[in-house]
Amino acid sequence: MGVILTALGRYLPEKIMTNRDLEQIVDTSDEWIRSRTGIQERRIAAPEESTSVLAIKAAQETIRKRGIDPAEIDLVLVATMMADSPFPSTACKVQHAIGATNAAAFDLAAACSGFVYTLETAAQFIKAGTMKNALVIGSEVYSRFLDWEDRATCVLFGDGAAAAFLEADTVDHFLGSVLRSDGSGETLLHMPGGGTAMPASPETIENRQHFLKMKGLELFQQVVPMVCDALLDTTEKAGVDLSDVALIVPHQANVHIIEAVSDALGIPMDKFMINIEKYGNTSAASVPLALIDASEQNRLQPGDLVLMVGFGAGLTVAASLIRWSPAFVA
């Protein structure tokens, strides 16, 4: 049994926060942000827009494009680190809202690698014959958990959601993957407070432990070789050369990470899809948002090899090589 990607959908909040807007609330500048990250603007969810709201809208667009009855969906997976609440899962909220009455549903937490992890999880269910299709969503509302006094982190992240629809096929378009983790990098990107190790208290709130914390330089140094290895090992598994790949769609964390990977592997930058300037780092939504933009810019043709790679907190890294299909519904 093979797997094929047949539709993509997205939802982006209306509010755009530019670097100039950030200059008004934190000690930074447009030039500082652009030169260090490549980001120009990002989307910010409205007060009534939770992670599930974004996910539902992305799911509905994907279902509309595919033209499928939601009751025919077998599996709903949501990749997120910023769920509406500790439980129930965001996926169950999505499953109910879209009318996927016969679907199993659960969340997967792998930070910025989340979409690729979830994509491959769904693909394995289909290849095993357990499910005939799956709706996979990356959705994040990081803006609620940023320290807007910390210019090193608050300028990086944005909100958004994107989804993919996978189906069983006689030909397998999912050619190879690598999923890895390295928990020794736990404190390079994390949120200390709010879990069982550090439950919410007056002290944790006063000490700003419920905001995202990041050690940027150390993270950069550790993820670049992890990404390079994942890309090389995935293509090797699939029996193709990296030079055969038409487009690499990386997580949009920082343009300099992508440049470092490009230099290390000797791959020209024009082989990478980059849209970080528009959305910033949207974590689990990053890769599918970039994949949609690539499709809309006609950078993908039927038969092309497309290599997705995510990397982030955990540390986690995940890569997936697929063949772009003529059955894809734009």
Side-chain angles (χ1 to χ4, degrees):
M1 185 69 69
V3 183
I4 188 170
L5 188 157
T6 55
L8 294 164
R10 70 182 164 214
Y11 176 74
L12 293 162
E14 289 187 11
K15 182 179 178 181
I16 296 174
M17 178 178 284
T18 67
N19 293 344
R20 296 294 185 190
D21 295 328
L22 281 166
E23 290 177 350
Q24 309 306 310
I25 61 175
V26 68
D27 181 18
T28 191
S29 69
D30 176 60
E31 189 280 330
W32 191 93
I33 299 169
R34 286 185 190 230
S35 64
R36 286 163 176 78
T37 69
I39 300 168
Q40 299 177 29
E41 60 187 39
R42 71 286 294 147
R43 301 297 180 101
I44 303 295
E48 68 277 8
E49 290 181 322
S50 65
T51 297
S52 67
V53 170
L54 272 61
I56 289 163
K57 291 182 177 181
Q60 289 170 333
E61 181 179 89
T62 307
I63 291 167
R64 177 184 59 78
K65 285 183 176 179
R66 181 62 188 89
I68 190 171
D69 182 345
E72 297 178 23
I73 297 173
D74 287 342
L75 181 63
V76 177
L77 298 184
V78 175
T80 188
M81 297 301 292
M82 299 297 165
D84 289 14
S85 58
F87 60 88
S89 71
T90 301
C92 280
K93 293 186 177 185
V94 175
Q95 174 267 333
H96 173 67
I98 64 177
T101 52
N102 297 303
F106 62 90
D107 290 354
L108 192 152
C112 304
S113 305
F115 179 79
V116 182
Y117 261 77
T118 308
L119 195 73
E120 282 299 323
T121 300
Q124 295 308 315
F125 274 109
I126 296 171
K127 289 184 181 187
T130 308
M131 310 285 185
K132 66 179 182 295
N133 60 48
L135 180 64
V136 175
I137 308 162
S139 184
E140 304 284 18
V141 180
Y142 264 81
S143 60
R144 308 266 163 85
F145 298 93
L146 297 176
D147 185 345
W148 292 99
E149 297 179 6
D150 178 11
R151 72 171 188 170
T153 57
C154 73
V155 303
L156 301 176
F157 294 87
D159 303 333
F165 197 71
L166 307 185
E167 300 179 58
D169 193 71
T170 55
V171 177
D172 196 5
H173 291 72
F174 278 59
L175 308 179
S177 66
V178 163
L179 307 180
R180 290 178 179 152
S181 61
D182 180 2
S184 69
E186 172 191 358
T187 61
L188 299 184
L189 179 56
H190 69 138
M191 186 182 300
T196 58
M198 193 181 292
S201 68
E203 291 73 26
T204 64
I205 294 171
E206 181 181 354
N207 293 327
R208 309 181 77 80
Q209 296 300 300
H210 299 273
F211 294 127
L212 179 149
K213 311 289 184 182
M214 185 178 73
K215 299 175 182 177
L217 179 59
E218 294 96 320
L219 188 65
F220 180 100
Q221 292 170 338
Q222 197 152 332
V223 301
V224 169
M226 290 176 69
V227 171
C228 291
D229 288 345
L231 294 176
L232 290 171
D233 292 349
T234 300
T235 51
E236 183 179 353
K237 273 188 176 183
V240 303
D241 192 87
L242 194 53
S243 62
D244 297 327
V245 174
L247 189 67
I248 300 172
V249 182
H251 167 51
Q252 309 288 306
N254 186 310
V255 71
H256 298 306
I257 292 178
I258 301 172
E259 289 171 344
V261 172
S262 169
D263 289 342
L265 296 178
I267 303 170
M269 281 293 287
D270 60 11
K271 269 211 173 184
F272 291 85
M273 177 63 203
I274 299 174
N275 66 352
I276 191 172
E277 73 280 359
K278 295 194 297 182
Y279 308 132
N281 181 344
T282 55
S283 190
S286 165
V287 169
L289 284 173
L291 195 60
I292 292 171
D293 277 6
S295 174
E296 291 180 346
Q297 295 170 19
N298 295 317
R299 296 190 64 180
L300 296 171
Q301 304 301 321
D304 280 353
L305 294 178
V306 184
L307 184 53
M308 295 169 279
V309 62
F311 49 90
L315 297 174
T316 61
V317 65
S320 175
L321 181 69
I322 68 172
R323 190 175 299 281
W324 199 247
S325 164
F328 176 74
V329 181

